[in-house]
Amino acid sequence: MVSELQQRMQDSFVEHVDEELLMDCMRCGFCLPACPTYLATNQDETHSPRGRIALMKAMRDGDVVWDGSVEDAFDMCLGCRACEPACPAGVQYGVLIEETRVAVQQAKPINLKEKTVRKATFDGVFADQKKMASGVKLVQFYQKSGLQAAARKIGFLNLFPPFMKQMEAVLPKVESKKKREPVLKPTSVKVAFFSGCLMDTLFQETNRKTIEMLEWLGAEVVIPKEQQCCGALHGHSGEMEKGLRNAKANVEAFDSDDFDYIVNNAGGCGAFLSEYGKHLEGNPQYTEKAASFSDKTIDISSLFVKLGLNSKLKQMGGAEESLVTYQDSCHLRNVNGVFLEPRSLLQDAPGFEYKELIDAGSCCGSAGIYNILQPEMAKRILDAKMKGVKKMQPAIVVTSNPGCLMQMQVGIQSEGLEKEMKAVHIVDFLYDSIHQNQTLA
């Protein structure tokens, strides 16, 4: 006899998971060597894209009993989407894992604690930029009041899981937000800046440098006031409707023919932003606006290249003194196809020698909040990544996403390499390398 939960789960999979997309998978296995969790679990098929798709179909058809092992298989997925470029059949795995998480979230029993956390996260902090800013002010108080120093000195952080202690150690120093004066000079292009939630709070210095560099390259930069979190975290956590709520708010905030580009400096956000058109194509009110939004969306490194930063970097010259390498943001590479642009900028940066990181395209284990929800697997994936970093011994590891940045900082710290190397955002790296040669003006 089928249990109530089993029937509810099967009905939810039938409702939410597209059977036609499931049937696109030919079970060829080209995705296997591209999947970090498949490799980290000694080639366990249930932790591969092919295996997960088989489980999705089995749940939809009622051929497998829903239990903790099935849920773990879906939860363990990083959502890095490295399987998509590797797939000869063009399977839309990203869509399938998002639909699966919606199906699970709609059907499974949720206790009061999880309900409270989800509501605070998806309806609170990541739904309202003001609430995000207020939360970050608490971090600022913790850092500047002496509480952080005291907590570290007395060993208070040892009461928390190791990964939380590691993340606390690499939190960026939160500074008070400075009022920005727009640059008034002839411009060649008008850019709307998607400032993001974490980027505009914890990493606001990177945002400031992004704007300053764009203006130096001749762009007029506008920051729409009503923008919200991109919605990626919601979409990847089974809360797609709430993610689309944010998407609609952003589409409205950026709805102007004046903008040539909508630029972002966070790879994870950029991938979700670029897919607004796909997510909202069935909504008559937003179909056209969302498609226009996605068409204009561009990553900061791609826009830097379009605005001629490479030639400016080459003109500065300078001896190659330090070794720099690049760790890809999974979504920037696998979803948006941005691969060459950041590398070309690093190759032209004055005073540095660029070398390709061993297995640069593999996930670092951050994956949004994956390293918080799945700390053990995230550590295994990060440890594998750090083997290549240790072998190369670069002075700087450059990233294009805040989560990747903090994860690589954790890796460097856990290996005791913080005196030999550092991880930095690509904007910070380029800004600082330019400042060593001339002043932006």
Side-chain angles (χ1 to χ4, degrees), residues 142 148 151-152 157 163-171:
Y142 169 71
Q148 183 180 54
R152 291 176 175 180
L157 295 171
F163 75 91
M164 291 187 67
K165 182 178 179 181
Q166 291 172 335
M167 295 304 292
E168 188 275 346
V170 300
L171 278 173

Side-chain angles (χ1 to χ4, degrees), residues 38 40 100 128 132 146 171 177 185 219 224 237 239 248 254-255 277 287 312-313 343 350 380 402 428:
Y38 174 74
T100 294
D128 187 336
M132 171 66 75
L171 278 173
K177 198 165 187 177
K185 64 179 182 180
S237 303
E239 302 280 359
K248 292 171 185 175
F254 287 82
D255 184 26
T287 297
K312 285 181 175 288
L313 294 172
R343 287 168 167 80
R380 289 162 72 176
D428 296 318

Side-chain angles (χ1 to χ4, degrees), residues 169-195:
V170 300
L171 278 173
K173 187 177 180 182
V174 181
E175 301 291 349
S176 298
K177 198 165 187 177
K178 300 172 185 176
K179 185 178 179 181
R180 171 181 171 266
E181 296 295 336
V183 172
L184 302 176
K185 64 179 182 180
T187 58
S188 62
V189 63
K190 191 167 185 178
V191 174
F193 180 46
F194 184 82
S195 54

Side-chain angles (χ1 to χ4, degrees), residues 318-326 346-356 392 394-396 429:
E320 296 180 347
E321 299 175 355
S322 301
L323 185 63
V324 62
T325 192
Y326 181 69
L346 300 186
Q347 288 165 354
D348 292 336
F352 292 91
E353 177 190 2
Y354 174 79
K355 283 190 177 180
E356 185 74 0
M392 176 177 284
I396 302 176
F429 171 79

